[in-house]
Amino acid sequence: MNSTMEKLKERIKDKKYKLTTQRQTILQAFIDAEENHLSAEDVYGLVKQVAPEIGLATIYRTLDLFTELDLLKRLDFGDGRNRYELNDEEFAHFHHHLICVKCNEVSEFEDDMLETLESIIAKKLNFHTIDHQLKVYGYCSKCQEKMKAAGEPIGPTHHA
């Protein structure tokens, strides 16, 4: 069993919940997934390959529970679907999301440029930041190429 699963199991146990076979299967889907931002439907697609008896309703209930227990982070990328990612030290490094408004692809970048802003906020406003999320909306390189080839305008770049 890998260390990530062991850590997550401990956190469930510490919060006085049982790690049922179904819950473990769902957690394992997150650990094994190549994509880091899974919707309930994505999880269902992965889980039904190994445990076809687990229904979509169980997936939704489990995702809600895991979010409540801080095992998962719920993310909203503005496309009408919640996405989830593991909230584990191995995966919980500060990272930000680039969201393509044309194809809805989500990618991550890890430069934590907000640390300076957090320091300023702490000093000026006496506010201690424990977490932050940055979402940048635009066009991925693939969509930009398609748009250029089709003669579509890419649109202005907005700078604050």
Side-chain angles (χ1 to χ4, degrees):
M1 186 99 15
N2 65 34
S3 64
T4 301
M5 180 60 85
E6 289 303 322
K7 285 186 230 169
L8 295 171
K9 279 181 167 183
E10 274 303 309
R11 285 164 67 183
I12 290 170
K13 190 175 160 186
D14 290 347
K15 295 183 188 237
K16 309 294 186 232
Y17 282 85
K18 291 182 180 174
L19 183 62
T20 64
T21 304
Q22 291 178 329
R23 290 175 182 166
Q24 185 165 337
T25 302
I26 293 166
L27 264 184
Q28 194 63 50
F30 278 94
I31 292 168
D32 295 343
E34 291 179 25
E35 168 63 41
N36 291 333
H37 312 104
L38 301 174
S39 68
E41 293 78 12
D42 295 333
V43 175
Y44 178 66
L46 294 169
V47 165
K48 76 177 182 182
Q49 296 172 19
V50 292
E53 72 281 2
I54 298 177
L56 191 54
T58 300
I59 301 285
Y60 277 107
R61 281 193 306 273
T62 305
L63 293 177
D64 286 343
L65 174 65
F66 287 169
T67 302
E68 188 180 313
L69 297 177
D70 281 333
L71 300 177
L72 297 177
K73 280 187 182 182
R74 181 179 291 131
L75 306 165
D76 179 0
F77 295 135
D79 63 355
R81 295 181 348 165
N82 284 322
R83 304 259 168 82
Y84 301 84
E85 67 183 5
L86 282 175
N87 190 18
D88 179 67
E89 297 83 34
E90 264 181 61
F91 302 99
H93 56 277
F94 282 120
H95 65 271
H96 306 294
H97 299 98
L98 304 175
I99 303 156
C100 181
V101 296
K102 193 154 182 90
C103 70
N104 293 321
E105 179 180 316
V106 177
S107 55
E108 296 179 353
F109 70 98
E110 294 184 25
D111 289 338
D112 196 3
M113 297 167 276
L114 294 182
E115 284 180 356
T116 304
L117 180 59
E118 287 177 359
S119 296
I120 293 168
I121 289 170
K123 287 177 186 165
K124 283 189 174 183
L125 304 172
N126 192 27
F127 185 83
H128 177 78
T129 303
I130 58 168
D131 194 10
H132 66 259
Q133 291 183 18
L134 176 64
K135 300 174 202 168
V136 180
Y137 296 88
Y139 299 105
C140 69
S141 59
K142 291 178 206 161
C143 288
Q144 287 180 61
E145 287 176 27
K146 289 177 188 173
M147 292 167 74
K148 285 178 188 173
E152 293 179 44
I154 293 178
T157 302
H158 300 282
H159 296 287

